Amino acid sequence: MAEKVTIATVARHARVSRQTVSNVLNAPHIVREETRLRVEDAISALGYRANQAARQMRTGRSRLIAARIDPTRDGINGSVLDRFLHGLTETADAAGYRVLLYTATDDEREIATYGDLLGTYELDAFVLVGTKHGDPRTAWLADRDVPFVTFGRPWDALDAHPWVDVDGAAGTAQATRHLLAAGHRRIAFIGWPAGSGVGDDRRAGWRDALHEAGVDPTGLHRETEDGIAQGERLMRDLLVAVAPTAVVCASDSLALGALQAIRGTDPPVSVIGFDDTPVAAAIGLASVSQPLGDAAARCVDLLTGVLDGNHETPTHVLLQPSLALRHTA
């Protein structure tokens, strides 16, 4: 009969104390990286599996965090959340947590789900995706002292709670500067209705980059709900009204619609989307790319800092996007 692998077995194999192994399992952020990696290698080599029930009794934690999975929508920009959730699950697993997924169609139903999940599973925390002005979800959790972090800024008060976000304005500014460098001056923008924190941020990057270049953005902006058909409709309107030579879009869905509208135009119009979805890569659409794996990892880092009371952990992280250039730009 094979010998049972215990924390003591892992400690001997990794040449560390049992407390160090426990720290790697329960609070990996306090262990030096070299030591943590050695212990994780030993855990993997020995096939060690922690007794979750015993750990929960000892620490008072379930080691469960919850995150929402969105409806599929058009199947394009929904893939952004899918990639984030994959990264979140992998990073949480490395930190000794499991991710519980739930779905909800609106804020009211999501908040109702919080109460059900907390009562049923005794969750440790939530990772919320997508934030908005006056977000009722974060207010509900904060009022009840439920730990959480968000992938997205609290647009009303940046110090309201821990968050990770990607600088959307920097992304659209980078896209606009690329088009300016290529000789374009009539660079339009198709975005979302005013009042969306994310949408306003992405529009601001385009506008500011044009101002810096001495280009007046008046008349070059259109806004709509997200979608391929909406992007096509507004691009056709722009072609008639201002005849832009290039367009930056707030999403890949809008950009795909713009591509349909400019099909056959002469001279061709350059199009850049946002989110660098698999569809964009497949058809050669230039797009702003978010570092979703890094964002997920930072969310887990912030969350473990909150749960462990580590005051040295930063309260927010703003990541920089990159520009995936393809033939459409």
Side-chain angles (χ1 to χ4, degrees), residues 219-249:
L220 292 170
H221 166 245
R222 297 291 187 275
E223 60 184 39
T224 180
E225 298 299 327
D226 199 42
I228 297 173
Q230 292 88 333
E232 181 177 4
R233 175 175 56 82
L234 291 193
M235 189 67 218
R236 293 189 186 283
D237 175 59
L238 284 165
L239 289 171
V240 173
V242 295
T245 62
V247 60
V248 176
C249 298

Side-chain angles (χ1 to χ4, degrees), residues 12-234:
R12 287 196 302 271
H13 189 90
R15 302 185 307 281
V16 297
S17 67
R18 284 181 292 181
Q19 182 59 52
T20 298
V21 176
S22 179
N23 288 341
V24 170
L25 293 170
N26 297 296
H29 65 281
I30 70 173
V31 183
R32 286 190 310 166
E33 183 178 13
E34 178 185 355
T35 303
R36 177 178 58 79
L37 291 174
R38 193 164 75 245
V39 172
E40 288 175 350
D41 286 344
I43 289 171
S44 178
L46 296 170
Y48 174 72
R49 295 291 182 269
N51 185 315
Q52 187 66 25
R55 178 190 287 179
Q56 183 172 348
M57 290 180 64
R58 184 174 66 254
T59 64
R61 293 188 193 170
S62 65
R63 311 296 293 188
L64 280 174
I65 58 178
R68 189 189 76 207
I69 184 167
D70 278 342
T72 57
R73 296 188 296 166
D74 60 13
I76 299 171
N77 291 310
S79 66
V80 176
L81 179 58
D82 291 344
R83 287 149 60 197
F84 174 79
L85 289 175
H86 276 288
L88 185 71
T89 302
E90 292 169 1
T91 309
D93 180 69
Y97 288 86
R98 293 291 181 270
V99 178
L100 177 68
L101 298 179
Y102 63 92
T103 188
T105 55
D106 56 38
D107 291 342
E108 183 178 351
R109 288 180 177 85
E110 183 167 359
I111 289 171
T113 301
Y114 294 164
D116 292 341
L117 293 175
L118 289 167
T120 304
Y121 295 102
E122 298 182 356
L123 296 167
D124 285 341
F126 287 82
V127 175
L128 272 56
V129 179
T131 50
K132 64 197 79 174
H133 292 287
D135 199 320
R137 304 169 305 154
T138 58
W140 192 95
L141 293 171
D143 287 347
R144 290 158 180 78
D145 293 322
V146 178
F148 69 94
V149 300
T150 62
F151 178 35
R153 275 165 276 183
W155 296 100
D156 300 311
L158 293 181
D159 294 328
H161 56 72
W163 55 267
V164 176
D165 202 4
V166 176
D167 193 338
T172 51
Q174 186 179 357
T176 305
R177 292 188 189 108
H178 169 77
L179 294 168
L180 287 164
H184 295 281
R185 287 297 178 269
R186 291 195 309 280
I187 304 171
F189 184 83
I190 300 177
W192 302 321
S196 157
V198 176
D200 293 348
D201 190 46
R202 294 180 183 182
R203 182 175 64 252
W206 160 82
R207 181 196 62 220
D208 293 347
L210 288 185
H211 279 309
E212 290 170 6
V215 177
D216 184 0
T218 302
L220 292 170
H221 166 245
R222 297 291 187 275
E223 60 184 39
T224 180
E225 298 299 327
D226 199 42
I228 297 173
Q230 292 88 333
E232 181 177 4
R233 175 175 56 82
L234 291 193

